[in-house]
Amino acid sequence: MSDLLLDVKNLKTRFRTDDGTFFAVDDVSFQVRRGRTLGIVGESGCGKSVTSLSVMRLIQNPGEIAQGQVNFEGRDLLKLPEQQMRAIRGNDIAMIFQEPMTSLNPVFTIGNQIDEAIKEHNPKMTADQVRERTIGILRKVGIPAPEQRYKEYPHQLSGGMRQRVMIAMAISCDPKLLIADEPTTALDVTIQAQILDLMRKLQQDFQAGMILITHDLGVVAEMCQDVIVMYAGKIVEQGTVEDIFYRPRHPYTKGLLDSIPHFETGHKLDRLQTIPGLVPSLLDIPPACRFQDRCPYVQERCRVEYPELRALNDTQVVSCHFPLNGDKA
Amino acid sequence: MSETLLKVDQLVKSFPITGGLWGREVASVKAVQNVSFEVKRGETLGLVGESGCGKSTLGRCVIRLIDPTSGTVTFKGQDITRVQGEGLRELRKKMQIIFQDPYASLNPRMTIGAVLEEPLLIHGLFPSAKDRKDRVRELIRLVGLRDEHLSRYPHEFSGGQRQRVGIARALAVGPELIVCDEPVSALDVSIQAQVINLLMDLQQKLGLTYLFIAHDLKVVEHVSTRVAVMYLGKIVEIAESEELYKNPLHPYTKALLSAIPIPDPRRREERIILHGDVPSPVNPPPGCHFNPRCPLASEECRQTAPELKSYGQDHWASCLKIKAST
Ligand SMILES: Nc1ncnc2c1ncn2[C@@H]1O[C@H](COP(=O)(O)OP(=O)(O)OP(=O)(O)O)[C@@H](O)[C@H]1O
Ligand SMILES: Nc1ncnc2c1ncn2[C@@H]1O[C@H](COP(=O)(O)OP(=O)(O)OP(=O)(O)O)[C@@H](O)[C@H]1O
Ligand SMILES: [Mg+2]
Ligand SMILES: [Mg+2]
């Protein structure tokens, strides 16, 4: 069995809005391997969610996938009829969304909802078997008194517990690929630590591949082996987690790392380093390098020629004409 | 030692929950329970804790946006707990608040110029129109925006820029104390850093005092002189910021610090993973509020509510399990 689970090639996703047409994801390629976690980071609006929704083929009007391949175990998902895609969603590929309340149905008990997910993919199981499996999964994700919780409705649970139910639902069919879009952003740090711990253990059990979307670089450092940094719909840097955190080569990656307040004593009351300016609007992106207006090292060439992604070594890829020398951030 | 600007003593705030046919009070949310602390002029007291533990409620009581149930708030030596009318209006000039969501807190139909002028009109400051315009221009520059921004509307600004406007509005009346309620939580890291730097520059320049509420402990450590940790309505630990981060005493503070993901892949150290969820402030557990999740809890913790006790210079914590030796 090949290690390579997901191979996304030259993906472009377009939105046609009243204000104009733009590519929220613009020629993005990446791979996910079994048993590894790929982190996608970048500031709000850079295309993280659209990337994951494109992989799931869940892009809706006014959006559409304009180009590319999403090869999952060797099959291009973009070519499958919707019916086959539906069988893959929730079964081979599962997704955890940021806001669990929007993806849990308020009028059904949580047991009922997980039962349904299991039944859909295991039509031969008896009702008792399904129920037993659901309760087992609820226990596995750390829900206390699962027999009791089985009968409760989403609003009766705390935020942390709802997020666990979402995870339970996502893993109920032993997915090969788990996509988690900001799975802990709405949670407090101690609850976040519980959930991340749980996700890590589950992944080890299943040897699944995982895509973890987050804007928290701390979460990435903790959870991921591989990282993509996105900026305005493009990948600007890609590498192993060590590449990105210890040898950032794109000025944007370094800027992001430098703007986090460092959680060490001694730095206190210093000024934080900032990235000046704002993310450009996708309707009005500068030609050539998209980061040019905020880049401290910008040169003439950056304003006229797009920096194609290029490999710097076996693992690290950067889209910059003048990559940094890779000193620790 | 500089002067004590704010003193909060045994502050309590409960919200009634009504129910039944006659809307009787059936229970109450004990949002803030017997909280006491002081803030010195020019310092920043950071306030951290999990969602729903009462941080915003405490901040709002302090500046009298809501009325405390009991306890006292003293500002510059004056008891302001029950001040009303003209006295309260005067107080508003001295104490201001910056909210988390810069969008929801700005009127979408007012230009930024009008937003900044409004508090001056309300308080009758700068009576001449020309002086008022000058003040508005001074304010917008103070927060790093430009005169041309004054004629624009909130939706034309990014989140970080709107937060700057929120800060300028709070500064308009010349306050001494500002409650910053999650001022950067909604912003991206690169923008967060810009706003934090601005707040710290302004503090230096104008001698401001901050009560800084946040759930991001990295941000709080960066800006605060002292830090108070809240859990379910109570302060469980308070100390100088460096001391608290280096030498946390309360098991909840320890868990909180240990749970922060550190942006360094080599430091995937073992975390203290707490079990269970934050209990409801409607039915707080008996004894120590933290006992159901605490790895050290024993029978006495379920019986006795611990008091804040002093452990060395300016370091207070409330836990029965802290060794007396410190
Ligand atoms: N349904 C939609 N209609 C129009 N534009 C959209 C839609 N969904 C996303 N976009 C746009 O696509 C771009 C990328 O959005 P996306 O949701 O992928 O960002 P993100 O990186 O996930 O940001 P965040 O961190 O805020 O979740 C944004 O400019 C967004 O406004
Ligand atoms: N007006 C109100 N009526 C009833 N209950 C309230 C009211 N305001 C706050 N509460 C409750 O008081 C408790 C404390 O809320 P508060 O908003 O102070 O928490 P917080 O620490 O600021 O949380 P967050 O981090 O989510 O902002 C919560 O249980 C909340 O539901
Ligand atoms: Mg998103
Ligand atoms: Mg709050």
Side-chain angles (χ1 to χ4, degrees):
Chain A
M1 194 165 57
S2 144
D3 220 23
L4 182 60
L5 187 63
L6 182 75
D7 187 9
V8 173
K9 286 190 173 146
N10 306 102
L11 181 71
K12 280 191 173 206
T13 302
R14 174 170 51 209
F15 284 91
R16 296 175 201 272
T17 67
D18 293 345
D19 298 327
T21 297
F22 60 88
F23 287 92
V25 172
D26 196 354
D27 204 11
V28 160
S29 304
F30 60 89
Q31 301 182 330
V32 181
R33 292 174 192 285
R34 282 178 225 279
R36 286 175 79 93
T37 300
L38 170 76
I40 305 184
V41 293
E43 293 180 285
S44 186
C46 70
K48 304 183 294 294
S49 297
V50 172
T51 301
S52 62
L53 292 171
S54 302
V55 168
M56 292 285 272
R57 268 182 53 186
L58 288 173
I59 296 290
Q60 280 164 356
N61 247 331
E64 62 183 343
I65 297 175
Q67 175 196 310
Q69 294 175 14
V70 177
N71 298 305
F72 179 71
E73 296 192 303
R75 270 195 301 178
D76 185 358
L77 299 183
L78 301 184
K79 296 215 172 78
L80 294 186
E82 174 57 29
Q83 201 183 340
Q84 281 184 40
M85 189 61 212
R86 212 173 302 148
I88 286 181
R89 251 182 245 131
N91 205 6
D92 291 326
I93 308 181
M95 186 150 176
I96 304 169
F97 296 91
Q98 173 170 351
E99 189 23 79
M101 251 346 220
T102 54
S103 12
L104 289 173
N105 191 328
V107 302
F108 294 110
T109 65
I110 59 166
N112 204 313
Q113 297 187 51
I114 301 176
D115 282 357
E116 282 307 312
I118 295 175
K119 262 191 259 169
E120 195 176 323
H121 300 290
N122 300 279
K124 289 192 212 95
M125 276 176 135
T126 68
D128 279 351
Q129 285 173 323
V130 170
R131 181 172 186 277
E132 205 169 298
R133 174 138 176 206
T134 297
I135 289 173
I137 291 169
L138 288 174
R139 182 172 295 119
K140 184 158 198 164
V141 299
I143 303 244
E147 293 85 357
Q148 173 60 35
R149 296 295 182 184
Y150 180 90
K151 293 178 262 178
E152 293 185 351
Y153 293 87
H155 74 265
Q156 292 172 284
L157 307 182
S158 70
M161 265 204 276
R162 284 200 288 262
Q163 198 56 292
R164 271 170 235 242
V165 170
M166 281 298 299
I167 294 175
M169 202 127 81
I171 63 165
S172 62
C173 300
D174 301 349
K176 296 173 182 160
L177 176 66
L178 187 61
I179 303 179
D181 189 352
E182 308 265 7
T184 56
T185 305
L187 305 174
D188 291 305
V189 276
T190 63
I191 309 287
Q192 167 171 286
Q194 289 173 0
I195 300 282
L196 294 180
D197 189 52
L198 169 69
M199 289 178 51
R200 209 172 349 195
K201 286 192 181 124
L202 291 172
Q203 193 194 16
Q204 278 162 12
D205 288 0
F206 292 119
Q207 278 300 301
M210 186 149 93
I211 298 178
L212 179 65
I213 295 176
T214 174
H215 60 260
D216 186 334
L217 290 159
V219 172
V220 173
E222 189 141 315
M223 299 286 290
C224 303
Q225 287 83 42
D226 305 299
V227 183
I228 289 176
V229 182
M230 287 186 75
Y231 189 76
K234 290 274 193 189
I235 292 180
V236 294
E237 186 161 9
Q238 191 169 349
T240 65
V241 72
E242 288 83 11
D243 290 336
I244 298 296
F245 282 83
Y246 298 136
R247 299 172 292 278
R249 306 292 296 270
H250 197 288
Y252 177 62
T253 311
K254 179 141 170 35
L256 277 184
L257 288 166
D258 286 346
S259 31
I260 327 173
H262 271 274
F263 183 61
E264 308 292 342
T265 38
H267 292 259
K268 232 183 89 75
L269 306 184
D270 291 349
R271 288 180 66 81
L272 292 170
Q273 304 211 31
T274 64
I275 304 176
L278 302 170
V279 179
S281 153
L282 289 174
L283 285 165
D284 185 24
I285 26 180
C289 177
R290 297 185 175 185
F291 189 57
Q292 55 176 275
D293 292 334
R294 303 178 76 191
C295 183
Y297 312 106
V298 64
Q299 313 230 0
E300 196 41 42
R301 186 172 168 205
C302 311
R303 302 196 193 276
V304 293
E305 183 188 341
Y306 183 79
E308 293 299 336
L309 273 174
R310 59 189 166 116
L312 297 169
N313 52 50
D314 286 352
T315 52
Q316 200 166 2
V317 173
V318 71
S319 148
C320 179
H321 291 306
F322 306 101
L324 304 171
N325 61 16
D327 291 341
K328 189 182 180 327
Chain B
M1 264 284 126
S2 56
E3 129 199 44
T4 298
L5 189 70
L6 175 75
K7 188 168 187 299
V8 173
D9 196 28
Q10 293 293 315
L11 194 83
V12 174
K13 177 67 187 178
S14 305
F15 296 103
I17 300 174
T18 53
L21 216 43
W22 292 278
R24 273 181 308 128
E25 180 172 339
V26 291
S28 66
V29 181
K30 296 156 193 84
V32 174
Q33 293 187 46
N34 301 86
V35 164
S36 306
F37 61 87
E38 289 184 12
V39 187
K40 298 217 160 47
R41 184 183 287 282
E43 80 169 354
T44 298
L45 177 68
L47 191 58
V48 296
E50 281 172 300
S51 182
C53 72
K55 304 180 296 293
S56 298
T57 304
L58 178 57
R60 277 154 217 235
C61 282
V62 162
I63 63 165
R64 292 291 316 282
L65 277 183
I66 52 177
D67 289 330
T69 307
S70 65
T72 56
V73 180
T74 313
F75 182 68
K76 295 168 84 175
Q78 182 203 351
D79 181 349
I80 59 160
T81 324
R82 303 282 156 211
V83 179
Q84 295 296 340
E86 189 52 34
L88 193 56
R89 258 167 55 96
E90 278 303 307
L91 206 59
R92 294 265 180 268
K93 284 193 233 164
K94 301 280 164 243
M95 303 170 130
Q96 284 285 317
I97 187 164
I98 302 167
F99 296 100
Q100 165 171 0
D101 184 347
Y103 199 57
S105 62
L106 297 176
N107 183 340
R109 281 183 296 277
M110 277 164 85
T111 63
I112 300 306
V115 165
L116 297 183
E117 194 174 1
E118 189 181 39
L120 302 178
L121 289 167
I122 291 174
H123 289 287
L125 298 165
F126 302 93
S128 105
K130 180 182 172 304
D131 290 351
R132 232 172 19 245
K133 294 278 181 250
D134 285 346
R135 172 67 176 162
V136 166
R137 246 177 261 130
E138 179 186 32
L139 287 166
I140 201 82
R141 290 176 196 161
L142 201 56
V143 296
L145 295 173
R146 293 187 300 273
D147 293 2
E148 71 212 51
H149 290 124
L150 291 171
S151 56
R152 301 201 189 147
Y153 290 87
H155 74 264
E156 298 175 66
F157 289 82
S158 70
Q161 289 175 322
R162 286 197 289 257
Q163 198 53 289
R164 286 173 194 265
V165 173
I167 294 169
R169 181 179 57 182
L171 291 174
V173 294
E176 294 171 43
L177 175 75
I178 301 185
V179 172
C180 307
D181 192 354
E182 310 257 8
V184 297
S185 306
L187 306 175
D188 275 320
V189 273
S190 74
I191 310 299
Q192 229 180 44
Q194 296 174 6
V195 172
I196 291 171
N197 284 344
L198 172 67
L199 284 169
M200 294 179 78
D201 289 348
L202 290 170
Q203 178 167 44
Q204 288 245 304
K205 208 182 287 180
L206 307 174
L208 298 169
T209 306
Y210 293 141
L211 179 61
F212 194 100
I213 300 172
H215 60 258
D216 184 333
L217 284 96
K218 293 190 293 256
V219 169
V220 170
E221 190 213 13
H222 187 80
V223 302
S224 305
T225 333
R226 286 187 307 136
V227 175
V229 180
M230 270 184 98
Y231 191 80
L232 210 63
K234 293 188 177 181
I235 289 182
V236 297
E237 185 159 5
I238 181 166
E240 299 246 313
S241 156
E242 244 189 273
E243 162 74 7
L244 186 99
Y245 283 77
K246 260 198 228 140
N247 182 26
L249 294 175
H250 196 285
Y252 175 62
T253 313
K254 289 183 184 172
L256 204 56
L257 292 177
S258 139
I260 305 170
I262 297 174
D264 182 346
R266 270 180 220 138
R267 294 190 40 197
R268 298 183 180 178
E269 47 215 72
E270 276 302 303
R271 310 231 169 271
I272 304 172
I273 306 281
L274 294 176
H275 296 282
D277 289 299
V278 187
S280 145
V282 179
N283 280 313
C288 171
H289 283 178
F290 186 54
N291 87 68
R293 298 173 78 199
C294 182
L296 306 179
S298 66
E299 197 44 43
E300 62 171 339
C301 305
R302 289 183 267 278
Q303 313 261 335
T304 318
E307 300 280 321
L308 275 174
K309 282 199 190 132
S310 166
Y311 298 89
Q313 171 124 44
D314 260 339
H315 193 157
W316 299 74
S318 68
C319 171
L320 301 174
K321 298 289 178 190
I322 301 171
K323 305 242 173 9
S325 66
T326 18

